[in-house]
Coordinates of all heavy atoms in Angstrom, one line a residue:
R93 N -5.0 6.0 -1.9 CA -4.2 5.7 -3.1 C -4.0 7.0 -3.8 O -4.9 7.8 -4.1 CB -5.0 4.8 -4.0 CG -4.2 4.2 -5.1 CD -5.0 3.2 -5.9 NE -5.4 2.1 -5.1 CZ -6.4 1.2 -5.4 NH1 -7.0 1.3 -6.5 NH2 -6.7 0.2 -4.6
T94 N -2.7 7.3 -4.2 CA -2.3 8.6 -4.8 C -1.2 8.3 -5.8 O -0.4 7.4 -5.7 CB -1.9 9.6 -3.8 OG1 -0.7 9.2 -3.2 CG2 -2.9 9.9 -2.7
D95 N -1.1 9.2 -6.8 CA 0.1 9.3 -7.6 C 1.3 9.7 -6.7 O 1.1 10.5 -5.8 CB 0.0 10.3 -8.7 CG -1.0 9.8 -9.8 OD1 -1.2 8.6 -9.9 OD2 -1.6 10.7 -10.5
A96 N 2.5 9.2 -7.0 CA 3.6 9.4 -6.1 C 4.9 9.2 -6.9 O 4.9 8.5 -7.9 CB 3.5 8.6 -4.9
D97 N 6.0 9.7 -6.3 CA 7.3 9.3 -6.7 C 8.0 8.7 -5.5 O 7.9 9.1 -4.4 CB 8.1 10.6 -7.1 CG 7.5 11.3 -8.3 OD1 7.2 10.6 -9.3 OD2 7.4 12.5 -8.3
L98 N 8.7 7.5 -5.8 CA 9.4 6.8 -4.8 C 10.9 6.9 -5.0 O 11.4 6.6 -6.1 CB 9.0 5.4 -4.7 CG 9.6 4.5 -3.5 CD1 8.6 3.4 -3.1 CD2 10.9 3.9 -3.9
T99 N 11.7 7.4 -4.1 CA 13.1 7.5 -4.2 C 13.8 6.7 -3.0 O 13.3 6.8 -1.9 CB 13.6 8.9 -4.3 OG1 13.1 9.7 -3.2 CG2 13.2 9.6 -5.6
V100 N 14.9 6.1 -3.4 CA 15.7 5.3 -2.4 C 16.9 6.1 -2.1 O 17.6 6.5 -3.0 CB 16.0 3.9 -2.9 CG1 16.8 3.2 -1.8 CG2 14.8 3.1 -3.3
H101 N 17.2 6.3 -0.8 CA 18.4 7.1 -0.4 C 19.1 6.3 0.7 O 18.6 5.4 1.3 CB 17.9 8.4 0.3 CG 17.0 9.3 -0.6 ND1 17.4 10.4 -1.2 CD2 15.7 9.1 -0.9 CE1 16.4 10.9 -1.9 NE2 15.3 10.2 -1.7
P102 N 20.4 6.7 0.9 CA 21.1 6.0 2.0 C 20.4 6.1 3.3 O 20.5 5.1 4.2 CB 22.5 6.8 2.1 CG 22.6 7.3 0.7 CD 21.2 7.7 0.2
G103 N 19.7 7.2 3.6 CA 19.0 7.3 4.9 C 17.6 6.7 4.9 O 16.9 6.8 5.9
G104 N 17.1 6.2 3.8 CA 15.8 5.6 3.8 C 15.0 5.8 2.5 O 15.6 6.1 1.4
V105 N 13.7 5.7 2.5 CA 12.9 5.8 1.4 C 11.9 7.0 1.5 O 11.3 7.2 2.6 CB 12.0 4.5 1.2 CG1 11.0 4.7 0.1 CG2 12.9 3.3 0.9
L106 N 11.8 7.8 0.4 CA 10.9 8.9 0.4 C 9.8 8.5 -0.6 O 10.1 8.2 -1.8 CB 11.6 10.2 0.0 CG 10.6 11.3 -0.3 CD1 9.8 11.8 0.9 CD2 11.5 12.5 -0.9
I107 N 8.5 8.6 -0.2 CA 7.4 8.5 -1.1 C 6.7 9.8 -1.1 O 6.0 10.2 -0.1 CB 6.4 7.4 -0.6 CG1 7.1 6.0 -0.4 CG2 5.3 7.2 -1.6 CD1 6.3 4.9 0.1
A108 N 7.0 10.6 -2.2 CA 6.4 11.9 -2.3 C 5.1 11.8 -3.0 O 5.0 11.5 -4.2 CB 7.4 12.8 -3.1
R109 N 4.0 12.0 -2.3 CA 2.6 11.8 -2.8 C 2.0 13.1 -3.2 O 2.2 14.1 -2.6 CB 1.8 11.1 -1.7 CG 2.4 9.8 -1.2 CD 1.4 9.0 -0.4 NE 1.1 9.6 0.9 CZ 0.1 9.2 1.6 NH1 -0.7 8.2 1.3 NH2 -0.2 9.9 2.8
R110 N 1.2 13.0 -4.2 CA 0.5 14.2 -4.7 C -0.9 14.1 -4.1 O -1.6 13.2 -4.2 CB 0.4 14.1 -6.3 CG 1.8 14.5 -6.9 CD 1.8 14.5 -8.4 NE 2.1 13.3 -9.0 CZ 3.3 12.7 -9.0 NH1 4.3 13.3 -8.4 NH2 3.5 11.5 -9.6
G111 N -1.3 15.2 -3.4 CA -2.6 15.3 -2.8 C -2.6 14.7 -1.4 O -3.7 14.6 -0.8
A112 N -1.5 14.2 -0.9 CA -1.4 13.6 0.4 C 0.0 13.9 1.0 O 0.9 14.2 0.3 CB -1.8 12.2 0.4
D113 N 0.1 13.7 2.3 CA 1.4 13.9 3.0 C 2.4 12.9 2.5 O 2.1 11.7 2.2 CB 1.3 13.8 4.5 CG 0.5 14.9 5.1 OD1 0.5 16.0 4.5 OD2 -0.1 14.7 6.2
D114 N 3.7 13.4 2.4 CA 4.8 12.5 2.0 C 5.0 11.4 3.1 O 4.6 11.6 4.3 CB 6.1 13.2 1.8 CG 6.0 14.2 0.6 OD1 5.1 14.0 -0.2 OD2 6.9 15.0 0.5
V115 N 5.6 10.3 2.8 CA 5.9 9.3 3.7 C 7.4 9.0 3.7 O 8.0 8.7 2.6 CB 5.2 8.0 3.5 CG1 5.6 6.8 4.4 CG2 3.7 8.2 3.6
V116 N 8.1 9.1 4.8 CA 9.5 8.8 4.9 C 9.7 7.5 5.7 O 9.2 7.5 6.8 CB 10.3 10.0 5.5 CG1 11.8 9.5 5.8 CG2 10.3 11.2 4.5
I117 N 10.4 6.6 5.2 CA 10.7 5.3 5.9 C 12.2 5.3 6.1 O 13.0 5.1 5.2 CB 10.3 4.1 5.1 CG1 8.8 4.2 4.6 CG2 10.5 2.8 5.9 CD1 8.4 3.1 3.7
P118 N 12.7 5.6 7.4 CA 14.1 5.5 7.7 C 14.7 4.1 7.4 O 14.0 3.1 7.6 CB 14.2 5.9 9.1 CG 12.9 6.6 9.4 CD 11.9 5.9 8.5
T119 N 15.9 4.1 7.0 CA 16.6 2.8 6.8 C 16.5 1.9 8.0 O 16.4 0.7 7.8 CB 18.1 3.1 6.4 OG1 18.1 3.8 5.1 CG2 18.8 1.8 6.2
A120 N 16.7 2.5 9.2 CA 16.7 1.7 10.4 C 15.3 0.9 10.6 O 15.3 -0.1 11.3 CB 16.9 2.5 11.6
D121 N 14.3 1.5 9.9 CA 12.9 0.8 10.1 C 12.6 -0.1 9.0 O 11.6 -0.9 9.1 CB 11.8 1.9 10.2 CG 12.0 2.7 11.4 OD1 12.5 2.2 12.5 OD2 11.5 3.9 11.4
L122 N 13.4 -0.1 7.9 CA 13.1 -1.0 6.8 C 13.5 -2.4 7.1 O 14.6 -2.7 7.7 CB 13.8 -0.5 5.5 CG 13.1 0.5 4.7 CD1 14.1 1.1 3.7 CD2 11.9 -0.1 4.0
E123 N 12.7 -3.4 6.7 CA 13.0 -4.8 6.9 C 13.3 -5.6 5.7 O 14.3 -6.3 5.5 CB 11.9 -5.5 7.8 CG 11.8 -5.0 9.2 CD 10.7 -5.8 9.9 OE1 10.2 -6.8 9.4 OE2 10.5 -5.4 11.1
S124 N 12.3 -5.5 4.7 CA 12.4 -6.3 3.5 C 11.7 -5.7 2.4 O 10.9 -4.8 2.5 CB 11.9 -7.7 3.8 OG 10.5 -7.7 4.1
V125 N 11.9 -6.2 1.2 CA 11.3 -5.8 0.0 C 10.8 -7.0 -0.8 O 11.5 -8.1 -0.8 CB 12.2 -4.9 -0.9 CG1 13.5 -5.7 -1.3 CG2 11.4 -4.5 -2.2
T126 N 9.7 -7.0 -1.4 CA 9.2 -8.1 -2.2 C 8.3 -7.5 -3.3 O 8.1 -6.3 -3.4 CB 8.4 -9.1 -1.3 OG1 8.1 -10.3 -2.1 CG2 7.1 -8.5 -0.8
T127 N 7.8 -8.4 -4.1 CA 6.8 -8.0 -5.2 C 5.6 -9.0 -5.1 O 5.7 -10.1 -4.6 CB 7.5 -8.1 -6.6 OG1 8.0 -9.5 -6.8 CG2 8.6 -7.1 -6.7
T128 N 4.5 -8.5 -5.6 CA 3.3 -9.3 -5.6 C 2.3 -8.8 -6.7 O 2.6 -7.8 -7.4 CB 2.6 -9.2 -4.2 OG1 1.5 -10.1 -4.2 CG2 2.0 -7.8 -4.0
S129 N 1.2 -9.5 -6.8 CA 0.2 -9.2 -7.8 C -0.9 -8.3 -7.3 O -1.7 -7.8 -8.1 CB -0.3 -10.5 -8.5 OG -0.9 -11.2 -7.5
G130 N -1.0 -8.2 -6.0 CA -2.1 -7.3 -5.5 C -2.2 -7.2 -4.0 O -1.6 -8.1 -3.3
M131 N -2.8 -6.1 -3.6 CA -3.0 -6.0 -2.1 C -4.1 -4.9 -1.9 O -4.2 -3.9 -2.7 CB -1.8 -5.5 -1.4 CG -1.1 -4.3 -1.9 SD 0.5 -3.9 -1.2 CE 0.2 -3.9 0.6
A132 N -5.0 -5.2 -1.0 CA -6.1 -4.2 -0.6 C -6.8 -3.6 -1.7 O -7.0 -2.4 -1.9 CB -5.5 -3.1 0.3
G133 N -7.3 -4.5 -2.6 CA -8.2 -4.0 -3.7 C -7.5 -3.6 -5.0 O -8.1 -3.2 -5.9
K134 N -6.2 -3.6 -5.0 CA -5.4 -3.3 -6.2 C -4.7 -4.5 -6.7 O -3.8 -5.1 -6.1 CB -4.3 -2.2 -5.8 CG -3.5 -1.8 -7.0 CD -4.2 -1.0 -8.0 CE -3.3 -0.4 -9.1 NZ -4.0 0.3 -10.2
F135 N -5.2 -5.0 -7.9 CA -4.7 -6.2 -8.4 C -4.2 -6.0 -9.8 O -4.9 -5.4 -10.7 CB -5.7 -7.3 -8.4 CG -6.2 -7.7 -7.0 CD1 -7.4 -7.1 -6.5 CD2 -5.5 -8.5 -6.2 CE1 -7.8 -7.4 -5.2 CE2 -5.9 -8.8 -4.9 CZ -7.0 -8.2 -4.4
V136 N -2.9 -6.4 -10.1 CA -2.3 -6.2 -11.4 C -1.7 -7.5 -11.9 O -2.0 -8.6 -11.4 CB -1.3 -5.0 -11.3 CG1 -1.9 -3.7 -10.9 CG2 -0.2 -5.4 -10.2
E137 N -0.7 -7.4 -12.8 CA 0.0 -8.6 -13.2 C 0.9 -9.1 -12.2 O 1.2 -8.5 -11.2 CB 0.7 -8.3 -14.6 CG 2.0 -7.6 -14.4 CD 1.8 -6.1 -14.2 OE1 0.7 -5.6 -14.2 OE2 2.8 -5.4 -14.1
R138 N 1.4 -10.3 -12.5 CA 2.4 -11.0 -11.5 C 3.6 -10.0 -11.2 O 4.2 -9.5 -12.2 CB 2.9 -12.3 -12.2 CG 4.0 -12.9 -11.4 CD 4.4 -14.2 -12.0 NE 5.6 -14.8 -11.4 CZ 5.8 -16.1 -11.2 NH1 4.9 -17.0 -11.6 NH2 6.9 -16.5 -10.7

Side-chain angles (χ1 to χ4, degrees):
R93 189 178 301 166
T94 64
D95 288 336
D97 296 315
L98 186 150
T99 49
V100 181
H101 306 254
V105 172
L106 167 64
I107 305 176
R109 302 192 294 168
R110 287 181 271 289
D113 289 334
D114 294 346
V115 175
V116 170
I117 308 173
T119 295
D121 293 334
L122 275 168
E123 294 184 3
S124 64
V125 57
T126 190
T127 57
T128 189
S129 59
M131 59 189 302
K134 178 69 172 178
F135 299 97
V136 295
E137 78 281 0
R138 172 178 172 143

